[in-house]
Amino acid sequence: MAQSLSYSGTLPPQRLNLARHCLEGRSPEKTALIVAGATAETLSYGTIEDLVLRMAEGLRREGLEPGDRLLIRMGNSLDYALVFLAANAAGLVPVPLSPMLTAIEVNRLVADCAPGAVAWDCTLAMPDGVRLVDTAGLRKAPRGAYADTAKDDPAYMVYTSGTTAMPKGVLHAQHAIYGRKPMYQGWYGIGPDDVMLHTGAMNWTYTIGTGLCDPWVNGACAIVYTGERDVAVWQHLAAEHGATIIASVPGLYRQMLKSGFKPPPSLRHGLVAGETLARGVRHHWTEATGLPLYEGFGMSEISTFVSSSPSVPVRPGSPGKSQPGRSVVILEGGLIAVHRSDPGLMIGYWKRPEEDEAVRHGDWFAGGDVGRIDDDGYVWHEGRANELMNAGGYRVSPLEVEAAMAEHPALTETAATELMVKPGVTVIACFYVAATLQDDAALAAHASARLARYKQPRLFIRVPSLPRSANTKLARRRLRQDWETAH
């Protein structure tokens, strides 16, 4: 095991609140946020902070106490982000959920984390028997104050797929906001005059972090979009509002290229994360726009910790180098590991002590990604030690997909895996064993009732049997290799 080299970046103070760190002390009249969509809003730092503190007080008046979990079951709206920050400002633990989750999935998460309440905007299905907070009235509360939280107090929790059929909660502390500081110059190259356009939905921590919190800590302006998805909107927003940085995922950059995206003169570069960036996408983007794409590599447990940037030249095929202050090494077996002193690292998995133990390697945290570091310090990602799939930036457990599909009465065995259908494009596929060939539309309907859209298989493939190892373990990799060889 490598020598212990601890985090050397700026360490957080003992008393720290994430929302306060993002909003307090900014110029109150300066534009903090531009919201585009069905309705357009431009909000100053003073307005954002006032709304957050009013909503925080509203949550307190609902009887919620510091440390309570607050699930956020809302559509893609400005209030989604405000509720997240307000819950943190009140000392609660916001748990952002994807609007794509079904009521069945939400019910399982409610049972897992036992929230004090669910913030609900009345637009999405909810299971019975849960306490709801109608978010419409929160803005009407009087202005409250930030909770006096400590750096190690819980700040928020996100659910991510793991090695079981049930998603696991990743619990982060208030100090996670300090763990983002290495990204500011180690990935973004951001300053107070920047305008950050993020293409993600509000529920995603990539959007909340890169799209909102990080620009605000730096006194910059953020642009988010809450309307219907239309690839042409990004060029319009970038040009209308003078975006200097755009942040997205590889798949959307590919779509923008196909739509003929033309960057405005203000745009300096793009940020990309969520899944591996294919060399072809990077090459075509740079060729078409003349702008670099800086890739970030990370995970829900720590966000990004490896990246290229204006100061770290792009090396195609590598996401870049470890960000300034972070300590990243390769452990036995090729595991990519981060020193556990890094303030960006999670507190741990929610009520999963065995999974906490599995990612601890002495002084190091390793989440299952494997790779190598070359002599120049560039990290080369070579896949995952487990079978987790990646769907548009979301990690998806094959076990969760298999469990949902196994509920179909005609299927006797199921196996889920990623398939590369063309260079740089992968989809989730469900291989199944059944007495007769099943209708794909019926199988898709079965999946849509039980799984969020990003978890649903896009291909259904009947096979006579599923390959297994000598100890009867399902060999998903062999399924994938055989299909890709045949196609």
Side-chain angles (χ1 to χ4, degrees):
M1 189 171 289
Q3 178 183 359
S4 177
L5 299 171
S6 63
Y7 180 82
S8 60
T10 305
L11 294 175
Q14 290 301 311
R15 309 307 298 180
L16 178 65
N17 178 267
L18 184 150
R20 185 175 195 165
H21 185 73
C22 290
L23 298 173
E24 189 176 62
R26 307 290 174 262
S27 175
E29 302 302 321
K30 184 175 181 179
T31 298
L33 179 64
I34 298 168
V35 183
T39 59
E41 293 185 77
T42 298
L43 297 94
S44 69
Y45 275 98
T47 299
I48 290 283
E49 185 175 37
D50 185 68
L51 286 170
V52 165
L53 291 178
R54 287 179 183 277
M55 297 173 84
E57 183 62 22
L59 292 170
R60 291 188 185 102
R61 293 186 178 211
E62 289 284 341
L64 295 167
E65 299 181 354
D68 283 349
R69 271 84 53 211
L70 179 72
L71 263 67
I72 306 178
R73 175 67 165 163
M74 301 170 63
N76 185 32
S77 67
L78 169 61
D79 273 5
Y80 195 115
L82 295 179
V83 167
F84 178 91
L85 287 164
N88 177 265
L92 309 178
V93 183
V95 185
L97 301 183
S98 169
M100 292 184 283
L101 295 182
T102 65
I104 293 173
E105 291 172 300
V106 173
N107 200 34
R108 290 174 183 153
L109 300 184
V110 167
D112 183 66
C113 83
V118 178
W120 189 47
D121 60 4
C122 306
T123 65
L124 302 169
M126 279 297 305
D128 295 329
V130 296
R131 180 187 173 196
L132 302 175
V133 171
D134 184 351
T135 59
L138 293 178
R139 292 190 183 200
K140 300 175 184 177
R143 180 176 171 128
Y146 293 107
D148 182 24
T149 48
K151 67 180 179 65
D152 296 327
D153 287 344
Y156 64 94
M157 186 165 77
V158 293
Y159 274 96
T160 185
S161 289
T163 54
T164 66
M166 176 69 188
K168 57 190 177 185
V170 177
L171 184 62
H172 278 280
Q174 304 289 343
H175 59 59
I177 193 67
Y178 262 68
R180 303 187 66 83
K181 287 183 178 292
M183 302 181 207
Y184 301 159
Q185 299 310 315
W187 184 21
Y188 308 157
I190 194 170
D193 295 328
D194 276 308
V195 179
M196 172 79 80
L197 170 61
H198 200 292
T199 67
M202 294 289 194
N203 67 280
W204 200 6
T205 51
Y206 181 23
T207 308
I208 293 173
T210 297
L212 296 176
C213 292
D214 295 341
W216 291 344
V217 169
N218 286 277
C221 176
I223 311 170
V224 293
Y225 178 68
T226 59
E228 295 296 322
R229 295 287 120 174
D230 177 1
V231 70
V233 78
W234 309 119
Q235 178 171 323
H236 167 73
L237 291 178
E240 181 180 6
H241 301 294
T244 59
I245 304 172
I246 186 171
S248 192
V249 295
L252 191 51
Y253 280 115
R254 186 183 295 111
Q255 292 176 30
M256 285 192 278
L257 282 171
K258 289 181 178 179
S259 74
F261 179 89
K262 301 296 182 186
S266 60
L267 197 62
R268 295 201 314 274
H269 55 257
L271 308 174
V272 59
E275 57 186 311
T276 300
L277 176 63
R279 292 192 187 199
V281 174
R282 185 198 299 277
H283 171 75
H284 292 311
W285 173 268
T286 302
E287 190 175 63
T289 67
L291 302 176
L293 277 182
Y294 297 126
E295 187 174 1
F297 168 73
M299 60 192 78
S300 299
E301 292 86 344
I302 191 174
S303 196
T304 69
F305 57 95
V306 169
S307 55
S308 54
S309 71
S311 59
V312 177
V314 169
R315 186 166 290 185
S318 165
K321 299 182 180 183
S322 60
Q323 294 163 354
R326 302 200 194 275
S327 185
V328 179
V329 298
I330 304 298
L331 302 180
E332 185 177 352
L335 287 172
I336 301 172
V338 183
H339 199 273
R340 285 171 48 199
S341 60
D342 196 307
L345 192 61
M346 66 175 182
I347 295 173
Y349 296 117
W350 177 253
K351 294 184 178 179
R352 300 282 188 96
E354 70 288 348
E355 298 223 23
D356 280 336
E357 189 58 33
V359 296
R360 292 173 184 265
H361 300 259
D363 291 334
W364 301 94
F365 165 85
D369 291 284
V370 295
R372 60 185 174 84
I373 301 176
D374 66 21
D375 292 341
D376 295 323
Y378 282 85
V379 176
W380 299 83
H381 184 225
E382 297 175 342
R384 290 190 59 83
N386 56 32
E387 295 284 351
L388 286 184
M389 304 178 290
N390 192 308
Y394 294 93
R395 288 195 296 181
V396 179
S397 168
L399 299 178
E400 187 178 2
V401 177
E402 290 160 6
M405 296 307 301
E407 294 176 3
H408 192 291
L411 308 188
T412 56
E413 287 187 284
T414 61
T417 189
E418 270 186 296
L419 294 180
M420 184 173 289
V421 293
K422 58 183 178 180
V425 179
T426 62
V427 299
I428 294 176
C430 174
F431 291 83
Y432 67 90
V433 178
T436 59
L437 181 66
Q438 299 299 300
D439 179 67
D440 283 5
L443 291 176
H446 174 88
S448 70
R450 291 161 176 81
L451 296 167
R453 184 162 54 88
Y454 64 87
K455 302 177 188 177
Q456 295 168 24
R458 295 294 182 261
L459 289 177
F460 298 94
I461 303 165
R462 182 181 173 225
V463 292
S465 63
L466 298 178
R468 298 188 179 275
S469 63
N471 62 0
T472 73
K473 183 177 180 181
L474 178 63
R476 294 187 189 86
R477 183 171 298 178
R478 198 188 315 167
L479 267 178
R480 184 166 60 248
Q481 290 173 340
D482 290 349
W483 187 90
E484 291 178 351
T485 297
H487 292 80

